[in-house]
Amino acid sequence: MNVLGIDIGYSNLKMAYGPQGAEPKVLLRPAGAAPADRLGEKIGGNGEEDFLRVLVNGEPFVAGLSPDRAELWSRELHEDYPSTNSYRALFHAGLLLSELDQIDLVVTGLPVNQYLNPELRERLAAQMQGEHQITPRRKITVSKVKVVPQPVGGFVDHVWSLQDATEIEDSRVLVVDPGFFSVDWVLISNGELRRQSCGTSLEASSVILDEAVRLIAEDFGGNVGRERLEHTLRNGHDQVRLFGERVDVAPYLKKAADKVGPIVSTRLRESLRKENASADMVLLVGGGAGFFELAIKDAFPQLKVSTPDTPVFANVRGFWRMGV
Amino acid sequence: MKIPLGTYPELVADLNQVAPRERAERLRLLAMIGLRDLRQTGLRSQEQFQPLHATNEKPSDQKTPACSLIKRLTQSL
């Protein structure tokens, strides 16, 4: 049985895939996608493409490139992202990268507030299921799709990593998943989702990057741009060049996170008010975990805050595990 | 030593080529080769089994609570 766990984020495409009975392969690509004709000649014609070429409704798209590389194509940063052609292009890129012709089960996630709307999750499942014309000569079939709330994948990944999961069976675990567009959280009590205490905040990593860009502009007089800062971080660099000068980004990111993080943690605490017992631990997953760690620790000083290795892959590893 | 003709015809054919007094030594050598092959096959099986063991459909007892918890959560969604 071939399973694909896929998280089509606003910043990165993450995947965990492979057959049941073996460890999954994991993969990360930038989540930029655009019609192929929006790529500049220099990038598209150098013979060393680091992106994929796919079809979306018969139209050629490029996918898996840095979001700032396409010209005259705006980045989709809104709640209806899953119904966009960019999202479909990234899904097709994910199918292509899985190296499978037939996928028995795709498990994917939606932000919590969207997951709680049955219409949205059924629409996404219907969109992903069936036969897909990925390239002019490649078709890939998806037999079944399961849509889950994004942070649940991180919880499953954590459960699997424990030597003895009995220690968590009757616990109340708050899973916080800071992404680029939204910060999502779920409360899982005795292995069941507490729907009334789940939530989403849009004060996410993109807002921290915007704030850092604003602070850099105040000090250095120019706009480095959110996508450029994002690109710098994705490549593991800690400096960005502005007017010929190298700017250390870490202090600006910290200052921005110190401002935005508490807004999220306040919303989070508010959503837990309906609970008559507190959480036993906090699990911090997702690509933006580092930005929000301090704010979460400050908000729950009495709780252990745990972050997995490579938190950016936690959700998809969990998605895959739920599928097998 | 009596070797059933119908059960191990290839062994009988092999031993027929050897002088009667040297057949015991021939059998010892064949048994040693067989044992060595069994041990290597066993090791290979274990090596193949290890990575599967972590995610197999039949998990180890250690992973049973994790599997139950994941199954319960998945079904509740």
Side-chain angles (χ1 to χ4, degrees):
Chain A
M1 179 175 173
N2 290 316
V3 178
L4 168 64
I6 186 166
D7 181 359
I8 304 171
Y10 291 81
S11 183
N12 291 309
L13 165 69
K14 287 89 63 179
M15 300 165 54
Y17 57 99
Q20 189 176 29
E23 285 298 315
K25 291 180 189 171
V26 292
L27 201 145
L28 182 140
R29 286 287 180 110
D37 59 6
R38 307 300 164 97
L39 263 190
E41 282 300 316
K42 188 182 164 194
I43 297 167
N46 63 3
E48 292 177 11
E49 297 184 349
D50 56 353
F51 48 83
L52 291 102
R53 291 180 181 272
V54 293
L55 292 177
V56 176
N57 300 325
E59 191 188 345
F61 264 70
V62 289
L65 70 168
S66 186
D68 57 345
R69 281 179 55 181
E71 295 167 0
L72 303 171
W73 183 252
S74 11
R75 190 176 188 181
E76 311 268 9
L77 268 181
H78 52 78
E79 288 202 354
D80 206 22
Y81 179 47
S83 66
T84 63
N85 281 343
S86 296
Y87 188 95
R88 288 167 201 266
L90 289 163
F91 177 58
H92 285 187
L95 293 181
L96 199 54
L97 288 165
S98 74
E99 300 173 359
L100 299 163
D101 286 328
Q102 165 76 39
I103 298 172
D104 298 296
L105 178 61
V106 166
V107 183
T108 192
L110 272 178
V112 174
N113 61 342
Q114 293 186 36
Y115 170 80
L116 293 174
N117 182 339
E119 193 187 318
L120 290 181
R121 59 176 192 258
E122 281 159 22
R123 192 168 74 188
L124 179 60
Q127 180 181 313
M128 289 183 162
Q129 195 170 330
E131 188 180 70
H132 301 273
Q133 187 77 47
I134 304 296
T135 72
R137 301 188 68 170
R138 185 83 189 264
K139 282 181 184 172
I140 298 177
T141 304
V142 174
S143 303
K144 200 176 166 192
V145 178
K146 185 166 182 66
V147 182
V148 301
Q150 267 161 5
V152 165
F155 175 77
V156 169
D157 181 58
H158 177 71
V159 168
W160 192 260
S161 73
L162 295 172
Q163 285 287 324
D164 179 10
T166 52
E167 66 187 71
I168 209 172
E169 268 179 336
D170 55 357
S171 297
R172 293 161 66 82
V173 183
L174 174 65
V175 191
V176 186
D177 173 20
F180 189 78
F181 177 68
S182 63
V183 179
D184 293 272
W185 59 87
V186 295
L187 182 70
I188 295 167
S189 176
N190 297 306
E192 288 185 5
L193 190 72
R194 302 278 298 176
R195 283 176 162 73
Q196 63 173 6
S197 301
C198 298
T200 297
S201 164
L202 297 185
E203 304 292 328
S205 304
S206 58
V207 178
I208 290 183
L209 293 180
D210 285 342
E211 177 63 11
V213 165
R214 193 186 65 77
L215 293 169
I216 291 170
E218 272 182 10
D219 281 358
F220 291 88
N223 185 351
V224 293
R226 179 176 63 197
E227 274 71 29
R228 211 168 128 213
L229 187 54
E230 181 190 1
H231 187 71
T232 301
L233 297 176
R234 184 185 288 115
N235 291 334
H237 300 150
D238 51 11
Q239 290 183 325
V240 66
R241 192 179 281 276
L242 185 62
F243 298 135
E245 192 169 357
R246 290 187 182 280
V247 179
D248 284 324
V249 297
Y252 294 96
L253 288 169
K254 186 185 178 313
K255 211 168 170 184
D258 287 346
K259 185 177 174 184
V260 178
I263 301 172
V264 173
S265 55
T266 304
R267 278 269 294 115
L268 219 164
R269 278 189 300 194
E270 280 171 5
S271 85
L272 297 175
R273 272 189 196 155
K274 294 166 197 157
E275 294 293 326
N276 52 18
S278 81
D280 298 308
M281 70 167 287
V282 181
L283 185 60
L284 193 54
V285 300
F291 289 145
F292 290 87
E293 192 173 358
L294 273 179
I296 298 297
K297 281 181 173 168
D298 283 349
F300 302 98
Q302 72 282 29
L303 299 184
K304 181 189 169 192
V305 178
S306 182
T307 306
D309 290 337
T310 54
V312 71
F313 286 119
N315 282 341
V316 283
R317 284 190 304 242
F319 293 166
W320 182 86
R321 187 75 57 195
M322 290 170 90
V324 299
Chain B
M1 181 185 293
K2 288 186 178 176
I3 301 170
L5 294 176
T7 313
Y8 304 109
E10 72 286 357
L11 181 60
V12 173
D14 184 79
L15 289 175
N16 279 339
Q17 295 172 22
V18 182
R21 286 183 180 277
E22 290 170 12
R23 283 179 187 172
E25 170 56 20
R26 178 69 179 163
L27 270 176
R28 192 192 66 78
L29 181 73
L30 289 173
M32 194 180 72
I33 293 168
L35 275 175
R36 193 183 61 183
D37 192 56
L38 272 176
R39 282 194 191 118
Q40 285 182 345
T41 310
L43 281 174
R44 277 200 300 273
S45 302
Q46 281 177 358
E47 281 164 9
Q48 283 167 359
F49 186 69
Q50 286 300 335
L52 294 180
H53 201 246
T55 55
N56 216 321
E57 289 170 66
K58 290 181 180 174
S60 66
D61 288 345
Q62 205 180 15
K63 287 293 181 191
T64 306
C67 287
S68 320
L69 189 56
I70 293 167
K71 196 173 172 186
R72 195 176 351 142
L73 178 62
T74 306
Q75 284 171 348
S76 77
L77 295 173

